[in-house]
Coordinates of all heavy atoms in Angstrom, one line a residue:
M53 N 17.2 -5.9 -1.3 CA 18.1 -6.1 -0.2 C 19.0 -4.9 0.0 O 20.1 -4.9 -0.4 CB 18.9 -7.3 -0.4 CG 18.1 -8.6 -0.5 SD 16.8 -8.8 0.8 CE 15.8 -10.0 0.0
D54 N 18.4 -3.8 0.6 CA 19.3 -2.6 0.7 C 19.7 -2.5 2.2 O 20.3 -1.5 2.6 CB 18.5 -1.4 0.3 CG 17.2 -1.3 1.0 OD1 16.9 -2.0 2.0 OD2 16.3 -0.5 0.5
G55 N 19.4 -3.5 3.0 CA 19.8 -3.5 4.4 C 19.0 -2.7 5.3 O 19.2 -2.6 6.5
T56 N 18.0 -2.0 4.8 CA 17.1 -1.1 5.7 C 15.9 -1.9 6.2 O 15.3 -1.5 7.2 CB 16.6 0.1 4.9 OG1 15.9 -0.3 3.8 CG2 17.8 1.0 4.5
E57 N 15.6 -3.0 5.6 CA 14.4 -3.8 6.0 C 14.7 -4.6 7.2 O 15.9 -5.0 7.5 CB 13.9 -4.6 4.9 CG 14.9 -5.6 4.4 CD 14.9 -5.6 2.8 OE1 15.7 -4.8 2.3 OE2 14.2 -6.4 2.3
E58 N 13.8 -4.8 8.0 CA 13.9 -5.6 9.3 C 14.2 -7.0 8.9 O 13.6 -7.5 8.0 CB 12.7 -5.4 10.1 CG 12.4 -4.0 10.6 CD 11.1 -3.9 11.3 OE1 10.6 -5.0 11.8 OE2 10.6 -2.8 11.5
S59 N 15.0 -7.6 9.7 CA 15.3 -9.1 9.4 C 14.0 -9.8 9.7 O 13.3 -9.6 10.7 CB 16.5 -9.6 10.2 OG 16.2 -9.4 11.6
D60 N 13.7 -10.8 8.9 CA 12.5 -11.5 9.0 C 12.8 -13.0 9.1 O 13.1 -13.6 8.1 CB 11.6 -11.2 7.9 CG 10.2 -10.7 8.3 OD1 9.7 -11.3 9.3 OD2 9.7 -9.8 7.7
K61 N 12.8 -13.6 10.3 CA 13.2 -15.0 10.4 C 12.4 -15.9 9.6 O 12.8 -16.9 9.1 CB 13.2 -15.3 11.9 CG 14.2 -14.6 12.7 CD 15.6 -15.1 12.5 CE 16.6 -14.5 13.4 NZ 16.8 -13.0 13.2
D62 N 11.1 -15.7 9.6 CA 10.2 -16.6 8.8 C 10.0 -16.3 7.4 O 9.4 -17.0 6.6 CB 8.9 -16.9 9.5 CG 8.4 -15.7 10.3 OD1 8.4 -14.6 9.8 OD2 7.9 -15.9 11.4
G63 N 10.6 -15.2 7.0 CA 10.6 -14.8 5.5 C 9.3 -15.0 4.8 O 8.3 -14.8 5.4
G64 N 9.4 -15.3 3.6 CA 8.2 -15.6 2.8 C 7.1 -14.6 2.9 O 7.3 -13.4 2.5
L65 N 6.0 -14.9 3.5 CA 4.8 -14.1 3.5 C 5.0 -12.9 4.5 O 4.2 -11.9 4.4 CB 3.6 -14.9 3.9 CG 3.2 -15.9 2.9 CD1 2.0 -16.7 3.4 CD2 2.8 -15.3 1.6
D66 N 6.0 -12.9 5.3 CA 6.2 -11.8 6.2 C 7.1 -10.7 5.6 O 7.3 -9.7 6.1 CB 6.8 -12.3 7.5 CG 5.8 -12.9 8.4 OD1 4.6 -12.6 8.2 OD2 6.1 -13.6 9.3
A67 N 7.7 -11.0 4.4 CA 8.5 -10.1 3.7 C 7.7 -8.9 3.2 O 6.5 -9.1 3.0 CB 9.3 -10.7 2.6
D68 N 8.3 -7.8 2.9 CA 7.6 -6.7 2.3 C 8.4 -6.4 1.0 O 9.3 -5.6 0.9 CB 7.7 -5.5 3.2 CG 7.0 -4.3 2.6 OD1 6.2 -4.4 1.6 OD2 7.2 -3.1 3.1
T69 N 8.0 -7.1 -0.1 CA 8.7 -7.1 -1.3 C 8.7 -5.7 -2.0 O 9.8 -5.3 -2.5 CB 8.0 -8.1 -2.3 OG1 8.0 -9.4 -1.8 CG2 8.7 -8.1 -3.7
D70 N 7.6 -5.0 -1.9 CA 7.6 -3.7 -2.6 C 7.9 -2.5 -1.7 O 8.0 -1.4 -2.1 CB 6.2 -3.5 -3.3 CG 5.1 -3.6 -2.3 OD1 5.3 -3.6 -1.1 OD2 3.9 -3.7 -2.7
G71 N 8.1 -2.8 -0.4 CA 8.6 -1.8 0.5 C 7.6 -0.7 0.9 O 7.9 0.4 1.3
D72 N 6.3 -1.1 0.8 CA 5.2 -0.1 1.1 C 4.8 -0.2 2.6 O 3.8 0.4 3.0 CB 4.0 -0.2 0.2 CG 3.4 -1.6 0.3 OD1 3.8 -2.4 1.1 OD2 2.4 -1.8 -0.5
R73 N 5.5 -1.0 3.3 CA 5.2 -1.2 4.8 C 4.1 -2.2 5.0 O 3.7 -2.4 6.2 CB 5.0 0.1 5.5 CG 6.3 0.9 5.6 CD 6.0 2.3 6.0 NE 5.4 3.1 4.9 CZ 4.9 4.3 5.1 NH1 4.9 4.9 6.2 NH2 4.3 4.9 4.1
L74 N 3.4 -2.7 4.0 CA 2.4 -3.7 4.2 C 3.1 -5.0 3.8 O 3.8 -5.1 2.8 CB 1.3 -3.5 3.2 CG 0.4 -2.3 3.5 CD1 -0.6 -2.1 2.4 CD2 -0.4 -2.5 4.8
R75 N 3.1 -6.0 4.7 CA 3.7 -7.3 4.4 C 3.0 -8.0 3.3 O 1.8 -7.9 3.0 CB 3.7 -8.1 5.7 CG 4.6 -7.5 6.7 CD 4.7 -8.4 8.0 NE 5.6 -7.8 8.9 CZ 6.3 -8.5 9.8 NH1 6.2 -9.8 9.9 NH2 7.1 -7.9 10.6
D76 N 3.8 -8.8 2.5 CA 3.3 -9.6 1.4 C 2.0 -10.4 1.9 O 1.1 -10.5 1.1 CB 4.3 -10.6 0.9 CG 5.5 -9.8 0.2 OD1 5.5 -8.6 0.2 OD2 6.4 -10.5 -0.3
G77 N 2.1 -11.0 3.0 CA 1.0 -11.8 3.5 C -0.3 -11.0 3.8 O -1.4 -11.5 3.9
D78 N -0.1 -9.6 4.1 CA -1.2 -8.8 4.3 C -1.8 -8.3 3.0 O -3.0 -8.1 2.8 CB -0.8 -7.6 5.1 CG -0.5 -7.9 6.5 OD1 -1.0 -9.0 7.0 OD2 0.3 -7.2 7.2
E79 N -0.9 -8.2 2.0 CA -1.4 -7.7 0.7 C -2.1 -8.8 -0.1 O -3.2 -8.7 -0.7 CB -0.2 -7.1 -0.1 CG 0.4 -5.9 0.6 CD 1.1 -5.0 -0.3 OE1 0.4 -4.3 -1.0 OE2 2.4 -5.0 -0.3
D80 N -1.4 -10.0 -0.2 CA -2.0 -11.1 -0.9 C -2.5 -12.0 0.3 O -1.9 -13.0 0.7 CB -0.9 -11.9 -1.7 CG -1.5 -13.0 -2.5 OD1 -2.8 -13.2 -2.5 OD2 -0.8 -13.8 -3.0
A81 N -3.7 -11.7 0.8 CA -4.2 -12.3 2.0 C -4.4 -13.8 1.9 O -4.2 -14.5 2.9 CB -5.6 -11.6 2.3
D82 N -4.7 -14.3 0.7 CA -4.9 -15.7 0.6 C -3.7 -16.4 0.1 O -3.7 -17.6 -0.2 CB -6.2 -16.1 -0.2 CG -6.1 -15.5 -1.6 OD1 -5.1 -14.9 -2.0 OD2 -7.1 -15.6 -2.3
S83 N -2.6 -15.7 -0.2 CA -1.3 -16.2 -0.6 C -1.4 -17.1 -1.8 O -0.6 -18.0 -1.9 CB -0.7 -17.0 0.6 OG -0.7 -16.3 1.8
D84 N -2.3 -16.7 -2.8 CA -2.3 -17.5 -4.0 C -1.5 -16.9 -5.1 O -1.5 -17.4 -6.2 CB -3.8 -17.7 -4.4 CG -4.4 -16.4 -4.8 OD1 -3.8 -15.3 -4.7 OD2 -5.6 -16.4 -5.3
G85 N -0.8 -15.8 -4.8 CA 0.1 -15.2 -5.8 C -0.6 -14.3 -6.8 O 0.0 -13.8 -7.7
S86 N -1.9 -14.2 -6.7 CA -2.6 -13.3 -7.6 C -3.3 -12.2 -6.8 O -3.6 -12.4 -5.6 CB -3.6 -14.0 -8.5 OG -4.7 -14.5 -7.8
V87 N -3.5 -11.0 -7.4 CA -4.2 -9.9 -6.7 C -5.7 -10.0 -6.9 O -6.2 -9.7 -8.0 CB -3.7 -8.6 -7.3 CG1 -4.3 -7.4 -6.5 CG2 -2.1 -8.5 -7.2
D88 N -6.3 -10.5 -5.8 CA -7.8 -10.6 -5.9 C -8.5 -9.3 -5.6 O -7.9 -8.3 -5.2 CB -8.2 -11.8 -5.0 CG -7.6 -13.1 -5.3 OD1 -7.9 -13.6 -6.4 OD2 -6.7 -13.6 -4.5
A89 N -9.8 -9.4 -5.6 CA -10.6 -8.1 -5.6 C -10.4 -7.3 -4.3 O -10.5 -6.1 -4.3 CB -12.1 -8.5 -5.7
T90 N -10.1 -7.9 -3.2 CA -9.9 -7.2 -2.0 C -8.5 -7.0 -1.6 O -8.2 -6.5 -0.5 CB -10.6 -7.9 -0.8 OG1 -10.1 -9.2 -0.7 CG2 -12.1 -8.0 -1.1
E91 N -7.5 -7.4 -2.5 CA -6.1 -7.4 -2.1 C -5.4 -6.3 -2.9 O -5.8 -5.7 -3.9 CB -5.5 -8.7 -2.5 CG -6.1 -9.9 -1.7 CD -5.6 -11.2 -2.1 OE1 -5.0 -11.3 -3.2 OE2 -5.9 -12.2 -1.4
T92 N -4.1 -6.0 -2.4 CA -3.2 -5.1 -3.1 C -2.0 -5.9 -3.6 O -1.8 -7.0 -3.1 CB -2.8 -4.0 -2.2 OG1 -2.3 -4.5 -1.0 CG2 -3.9 -3.0 -1.9
D93 N -1.3 -5.4 -4.6 CA -0.2 -6.1 -5.2 C 1.0 -6.0 -4.3 O 1.6 -4.9 -4.1 CB 0.1 -5.5 -6.6 CG 0.9 -6.4 -7.4 OD1 1.8 -7.1 -6.9 OD2 0.7 -6.4 -8.7
P94 N 1.5 -7.2 -3.9 CA 2.7 -7.2 -3.0 C 4.0 -6.8 -3.7 O 5.0 -6.6 -3.1 CB 2.7 -8.7 -2.5 CG 2.0 -9.4 -3.5 CD 0.9 -8.5 -4.0
N95 N 3.9 -6.7 -5.0 CA 5.1 -6.3 -5.8 C 5.0 -4.8 -6.3 O 6.0 -4.3 -6.8 CB 5.2 -7.2 -7.0 CG 5.5 -8.6 -6.7 OD1 6.4 -8.9 -5.9 ND2 4.6 -9.5 -7.1
I96 N 3.9 -4.2 -6.0 CA 3.8 -2.8 -6.4 C 3.4 -1.9 -5.2 O 2.3 -2.1 -4.6 CB 2.7 -2.6 -7.5 CG1 3.1 -3.5 -8.7 CG2 2.6 -1.1 -7.9 CD1 2.1 -3.5 -9.8
P97 N 4.2 -1.0 -4.7 CA 3.8 -0.2 -3.5 C 2.6 0.6 -3.7 O 1.9 0.9 -2.7 CB 5.1 0.6 -3.3 CG 5.8 0.6 -4.5 CD 5.5 -0.7 -5.2
D98 N 2.3 1.0 -4.9 CA 1.1 1.8 -5.2 C 0.3 1.0 -6.2 O 0.4 1.2 -7.4 CB 1.6 3.2 -5.7 CG 0.4 4.1 -6.1 OD1 -0.8 3.7 -5.7 OD2 0.6 5.1 -6.7
T99 N -0.5 0.1 -5.7 CA -1.2 -0.8 -6.6 C -2.1 -0.1 -7.7 O -2.0 -0.5 -8.8 CB -2.2 -1.7 -5.8 OG1 -1.4 -2.4 -4.8 CG2 -3.0 -2.7 -6.6
D100 N -2.8 1.0 -7.3 CA -3.6 1.6 -8.3 C -3.0 2.8 -9.1 O -3.5 3.3 -10.0 CB -4.9 2.1 -7.7 CG -4.7 3.0 -6.6 OD1 -3.6 3.5 -6.4 OD2 -5.7 3.4 -5.9
G101 N -1.7 3.1 -8.7 CA -1.0 4.1 -9.4 C -1.5 5.5 -9.3 O -1.2 6.4 -10.1
D102 N -2.1 5.8 -8.1 CA -2.6 7.2 -7.9 C -1.6 8.1 -7.2 O -1.9 9.2 -6.9 CB -4.0 7.2 -7.2 CG -3.9 6.6 -5.8 OD1 -2.8 6.3 -5.4 OD2 -4.9 6.4 -5.2
G103 N -0.4 7.6 -6.9 CA 0.6 8.4 -6.3 C 0.6 8.2 -4.8 O 1.5 8.8 -4.1
I104 N -0.3 7.5 -4.2 CA -0.3 7.3 -2.8 C -0.1 5.8 -2.5 O -0.8 5.0 -3.1 CB -1.7 7.7 -2.2 CG1 -2.0 9.2 -2.5 CG2 -1.7 7.6 -0.6 CD1 -3.4 9.6 -2.2
D105 N 0.9 5.5 -1.7 CA 1.1 4.1 -1.6 C 0.1 3.3 -0.8 O -0.8 3.9 -0.1 CB 2.5 3.8 -1.0 CG 2.7 4.2 0.4 OD1 1.8 4.1 1.2 OD2 3.8 4.6 0.8
D106 N 0.1 2.0 -0.9 CA -1.0 1.2 -0.4 C -1.2 1.4 1.1 O -2.2 1.4 1.7 CB -0.8 -0.3 -0.7 CG -0.8 -0.5 -2.2 OD1 -1.4 0.2 -2.9 OD2 -0.2 -1.5 -2.6
F107 N 0.0 1.5 1.8 CA 0.0 1.7 3.3 C -0.8 3.0 3.6 O -1.6 3.0 4.5 CB 1.4 1.7 3.8 CG 1.5 2.0 5.3 CD1 1.4 0.9 6.2 CD2 1.6 3.3 5.8 CE1 1.5 1.2 7.5 CE2 1.7 3.5 7.1 CZ 1.6 2.4 8.0
E108 N -0.4 4.1 2.9 CA -1.1 5.4 3.2 C -2.6 5.3 2.9 O -3.4 5.9 3.6 CB -0.4 6.5 2.4 CG 1.0 6.7 2.7 CD 1.1 7.5 4.1 OE1 0.1 7.9 4.6 OE2 2.3 7.5 4.6
E109 N -2.9 4.6 1.8 CA -4.3 4.6 1.5 C -5.1 3.8 2.5 O -6.2 4.2 3.0 CB -4.5 3.9 0.1 CG -3.9 4.8 -1.0 CD -4.7 4.7 -2.2 OE1 -6.0 5.0 -2.2 OE2 -4.2 4.4 -3.3
R110 N -4.6 2.7 3.0 CA -5.3 1.9 4.0 C -5.4 2.7 5.3 O -6.4 2.7 6.0 CB -4.5 0.6 4.3 CG -4.7 -0.4 3.2 CD -4.3 -1.8 3.6 NE -4.3 -2.8 2.6 CZ -4.2 -4.1 2.8 NH1 -3.9 -4.5 4.0 NH2 -4.3 -4.9 1.8
A111 N -4.3 3.4 5.6 CA -4.2 4.2 6.9 C -5.2 5.3 6.8 O -5.8 5.7 7.9 CB -2.8 4.7 7.1
S112 N -5.4 5.9 5.7 CA -6.3 7.1 5.6 C -7.7 6.7 5.2 O -8.6 7.6 5.1 CB -5.7 8.1 4.5 OG -5.7 7.5 3.2
G113 N -7.9 5.4 4.9 CA -9.3 5.0 4.6 C -9.7 5.1 3.2 O -10.9 4.9 2.8
S114 N -8.8 5.5 2.3 CA -9.1 5.5 0.9 C -8.9 4.1 0.3 O -8.3 3.2 0.9 CB -8.3 6.6 0.1 OG -7.0 6.2 0.0
D115 N -9.3 3.9 -1.0 CA -9.2 2.6 -1.6 C -7.9 2.4 -2.3 O -7.7 3.1 -3.3 CB -10.4 2.5 -2.5 CG -10.6 1.1 -3.1 OD1 -9.6 0.3 -2.9 OD2 -11.6 0.8 -3.7
P116 N -7.1 1.5 -1.9 CA -5.8 1.3 -2.5 C -5.9 0.6 -3.9 O -4.9 0.5 -4.6 CB -5.0 0.3 -1.6 CG -6.1 -0.3 -0.8 CD -7.2 0.6 -0.7
R117 N -7.1 0.3 -4.3 CA -7.3 -0.3 -5.6 C -8.1 0.6 -6.5 O -8.5 0.2 -7.6 CB -8.1 -1.7 -5.4 CG -7.2 -2.7 -4.7 CD -8.0 -4.0 -4.6 NE -8.6 -4.4 -5.9 CZ -8.0 -5.2 -6.8 NH1 -6.8 -5.6 -6.5 NH2 -8.6 -5.5 -7.9
D118 N -8.5 1.8 -6.1 CA -9.2 2.7 -6.9 C -8.5 4.0 -7.1 O -8.3 4.7 -6.2 CB -10.6 3.0 -6.2 CG -11.4 3.9 -7.0 OD1 -11.1 4.3 -8.1 OD2 -12.5 4.2 -6.5
I119 N -8.0 4.2 -8.3 CA -7.2 5.4 -8.6 C -8.0 6.7 -8.3 O -7.4 7.7 -8.0 CB -6.7 5.3 -10.1 CG1 -5.5 6.3 -10.2 CG2 -7.8 5.6 -11.1 CD1 -4.8 6.2 -11.5
A120 N -9.3 6.6 -8.4 CA -10.1 7.8 -8.2 C -10.2 8.2 -6.7 O -10.6 9.3 -6.4 CB -11.5 7.6 -8.8
S121 N -9.9 7.2 -5.9 CA -10.1 7.4 -4.4 C -9.2 8.5 -3.9 O -9.4 9.0 -2.8 CB -10.0 6.1 -3.7 OG -8.7 5.7 -3.6
A122 N -8.1 8.8 -4.6 CA -7.1 9.8 -4.1 C -7.8 11.1 -3.9 O -7.4 11.9 -3.1 CB -5.9 9.8 -5.0
N123 N -8.8 11.3 -4.7 CA -9.5 12.6 -4.7 C -10.3 12.8 -3.4 O -10.6 13.9 -3.0 CB -10.5 12.7 -5.9 CG -9.7 12.7 -7.2 OD1 -8.6 13.2 -7.3 ND2 -10.3 12.2 -8.2
D124 N -10.5 11.7 -2.7 CA -11.3 11.8 -1.5 C -10.4 11.7 -0.3 O -10.9 11.7 0.9 CB -12.3 10.6 -1.4 CG -13.3 10.6 -2.5 OD1 -13.6 11.7 -2.9 OD2 -13.7 9.5 -3.0
C125 N -9.1 11.7 -0.5 CA -8.2 11.6 0.6 C -7.9 13.0 1.2 O -7.0 13.7 0.7 CB -6.9 10.9 0.1 SG -5.7 10.5 1.4
Q126 N -8.6 13.3 2.2 CA -8.5 14.6 2.8 C -7.1 15.0 3.3 O -6.7 16.1 3.3 CB -9.5 14.8 3.9 CG -10.9 14.8 3.4 CD -11.2 15.9 2.5 OE1 -10.8 17.0 2.7 NE2 -11.9 15.6 1.4
V127 N -6.4 14.0 3.8 CA -5.0 14.2 4.3 C -4.2 14.9 3.3 O -3.5 15.9 3.6 CB -4.4 12.9 4.8 CG1 -2.9 13.2 5.2 CG2 -5.2 12.3 5.9
F128 N -4.2 14.4 2.1 CA -3.4 15.0 1.0 C -4.0 16.2 0.4 O -3.2 17.2 0.1 CB -3.2 13.9 -0.1 CG -2.3 12.8 0.4 CD1 -2.8 11.7 1.1 CD2 -0.9 12.9 0.2 CE1 -1.9 10.7 1.5 CE2 0.0 11.9 0.6 CZ -0.5 10.8 1.3
V129 N -5.3 16.3 0.4 CA -5.9 17.5 -0.2 C -5.5 18.7 0.7 O -5.2 19.8 0.3 CB -7.4 17.4 -0.2 CG1 -8.1 18.7 -0.6 CG2 -7.8 16.4 -1.3
D130 N -5.6 18.5 2.0 CA -5.3 19.6 3.0 C -3.8 20.1 2.8 O -3.6 21.2 2.9 CB -5.5 19.1 4.4 CG -7.0 19.0 4.7 OD1 -7.8 19.5 3.9 OD2 -7.4 18.3 5.7
E131 N -3.0 19.1 2.6 CA -1.5 19.5 2.5 C -1.3 20.4 1.3 O -0.5 21.4 1.4 CB -0.7 18.2 2.2 CG -0.3 17.6 3.5 CD 0.6 16.4 3.3 OE1 1.2 16.3 2.2 OE2 0.7 15.5 4.2
F132 N -2.0 20.2 0.2 CA -1.7 21.0 -1.0 C -2.6 22.2 -1.1 O -2.3 23.1 -1.9 CB -1.9 20.1 -2.2 CG -0.8 19.0 -2.3 CD1 -1.1 17.7 -2.2 CD2 0.5 19.4 -2.6 CE1 -0.1 16.7 -2.2 CE2 1.5 18.5 -2.7 CZ 1.2 17.2 -2.5
E133 N -3.7 22.3 -0.4 CA -4.6 23.4 -0.6 C -4.6 24.4 0.6 O -5.4 25.3 0.6 CB -6.0 22.9 -0.8 CG -6.1 22.1 -2.1 CD -7.6 21.9 -2.5 OE1 -8.4 22.1 -1.7 OE2 -7.8 21.5 -3.7
T134 N -3.6 24.2 1.5 CA -3.5 25.2 2.6 C -2.8 26.4 2.0 O -1.7 26.4 1.6 CB -2.7 24.6 3.7 OG1 -3.3 23.4 4.2 CG2 -2.5 25.6 4.8
R135 N -3.5 27.6 2.1 CA -2.8 28.8 1.5 C -3.0 29.9 2.5 O -4.0 30.0 3.2 CB -3.5 29.2 0.2 CG -3.2 28.2 -0.9 CD -4.1 28.5 -2.1 NE -4.0 27.4 -3.0 CZ -4.8 27.3 -4.1 NH1 -5.7 28.2 -4.4 NH2 -4.7 26.2 -4.9
Ligands
CA279 CA1 4.3 -4.6 0.6
CA280 CA1 -4.6 -13.4 -3.6
CA281 CA1 -2.5 4.1 -4.5
CA282 CA1 -6.4 5.0 -4.4

């Protein structure tokens, strides 16, 4: 609760617990409280720990559950390899 998040009248599944801009209800799609094969962790902004948050991975088409997928993320590769 740092005051920067948008107020959410229905709370619960519309909250963004980990602050990665994906709502809890989008990350835990079936709302069972566990991270299933196609879901990302609503409590961890970077589910696979590759340094790119789940929102960025989904937006760029890489796999938010596969730490190796960051290597295929052209958006970030381009940023660091422009010389
Ligand atoms: Ca989230
Ligand atoms: Ca789930
Ligand atoms: Ca990631
Ligand atoms: Ca990844």
Side-chain angles (χ1 to χ4, degrees):
M53 300 309 164
D54 53 15
T56 59
E57 57 227 89
E58 298 174 18
S59 60
D60 236 319
K61 293 289 188 290
D62 30 44
L65 295 175
D66 282 341
D68 180 14
T69 302
D70 57 13
D72 63 3
R73 292 168 286 173
L74 293 170
R75 294 183 176 210
D76 292 0
D78 290 335
E79 301 204 71
D80 185 10
D82 58 5
S83 306
D84 66 353
S86 70
V87 183
D88 300 295
T90 59
E91 299 173 348
T92 52
D93 195 325
N95 297 305
I96 303 175
D98 179 10
T99 298
D100 58 8
D102 62 7
I104 306 170
D105 69 33
D106 298 335
F107 177 87
E108 293 288 348
E109 294 216 55
R110 286 196 185 190
S112 64
S114 72
D115 186 347
R117 294 179 49 88
D118 180 4
I119 195 168
S121 71
N123 296 329
D124 299 327
C125 188
Q126 290 301 318
V127 175
F128 286 88
V129 171
D130 288 346
E131 276 183 18
F132 290 111
E133 293 193 348
T134 301
R135 292 173 194 169

